Amino acid sequence: RLLPDTSRAALDAWDDLCLALGGGIAFLGALFTLGRFALDRALAPLAAIDAALAQTAEGRFETRLPRFGASELDRVAKTYNHMANALETTLAENLRLEYDQALAKALQEQLETERRHIARELHDELGQGTTAVRALAGAIRQRSDDPALVRCTEGILASTNEIQLGVRRILQHLRPIVPGQRTGVTETLA
């Protein structure tokens, strides 16, 4: 007669269960490791994209993304590279515009300086000479009784008056009068 030993059957079942659980855990560990490796490999391009975006945020637009081999990531890389090219071109154009504006400002300042210099020279040289001729013609007219000489001095006075008006017009073009600002030019020539 055979009598089963229940303690041994329970131990064998326990051993089988531990072996199955160990195999399952080993299989899950291997599956997790393989999945982790595959996920890291699949997400590796995102690190390059993140680094490129960080450099762009710092204002460095020279970074370009390579082709990744996945159509979705290749579209992202193509769009990023197009954006970086556009930003780089815009930055270069802005620098050129800033240079052009600085050059235009310097030229304008030089032009204004030259205009002021020419206006000062016209006022000082031509204005004083015309005033002197007017004074001499006026003195001759006052001291002369000869009607022909008086007519000549009046002609000189009329001509110097026209010269002064012409100089005044030129000075107004050279030195535009700001409302409320007195230049002293018209008062001196008058």
Side-chain angles (χ1 to χ4, degrees):
R1 177 173 148 169
L2 294 172
L3 293 174
D5 185 4
T6 56
S7 65
R8 183 71 194 141
L11 285 176
D12 286 343
W14 179 254
D15 286 343
D16 289 343
L17 179 64
C18 285
L19 184 63
L21 284 177
I25 290 174
F27 176 74
L28 287 177
L31 188 61
F32 174 77
T33 303
L34 184 61
R36 178 72 179 183
F37 174 75
L39 189 59
D40 286 347
R41 184 170 163 88
L43 296 179
L46 295 180
I49 293 171
D50 183 49
L53 290 173
Q55 288 179 350
T56 302
E58 293 172 0
R60 296 182 301 180
F61 307 122
E62 68 276 357
T63 302
R64 298 296 181 271
L65 292 174
R67 291 182 49 93
F68 295 111
S71 63
E72 295 84 8
L73 292 176
D74 286 342
R75 280 197 311 269
V76 168
K78 182 180 176 182
T79 302
Y80 171 83
N81 291 340
H82 178 71
M83 178 193 67
N85 285 336
L87 287 171
E88 201 168 40
T89 301
T90 302
L91 183 63
E93 288 175 6
N94 285 347
L95 288 174
R96 185 184 53 78
L97 285 174
E98 287 176 9
Y99 173 78
D100 289 349
Q101 287 174 343
L103 180 62
K105 183 179 178 183
L107 289 174
Q108 185 64 33
E109 288 173 358
Q110 182 66 31
L111 179 64
E112 289 301 319
T113 301
E114 287 296 318
R115 289 174 74 154
R116 281 192 300 274
H117 176 72
I118 291 169
R120 194 175 314 114
E121 289 293 318
L122 272 174
H123 175 261
D124 292 348
E125 298 298 323
L126 196 56
Q128 289 176 1
T130 307
T131 302
V133 170
R134 283 180 64 85
L136 290 172
I140 292 170
R141 186 177 66 176
Q142 285 179 352
R143 293 191 177 103
S144 174
D145 293 333
D146 183 9
L149 191 57
V150 169
R151 275 194 312 274
C152 286
T153 57
E154 287 176 0
I156 292 171
L157 289 172
S159 294
T160 56
N161 191 35
E162 288 298 317
I163 291 171
Q164 283 181 330
L165 290 174
V167 169
R168 211 177 277 141
R169 280 192 301 272
I170 292 170
L171 289 177
Q172 287 173 348
H173 288 293
L174 288 175
R175 286 194 248 176
I177 299 175
V178 178
Q181 177 183 2
R182 293 176 54 102
T183 61
V185 173
T186 55
E187 294 84 8
T188 306
L189 289 175

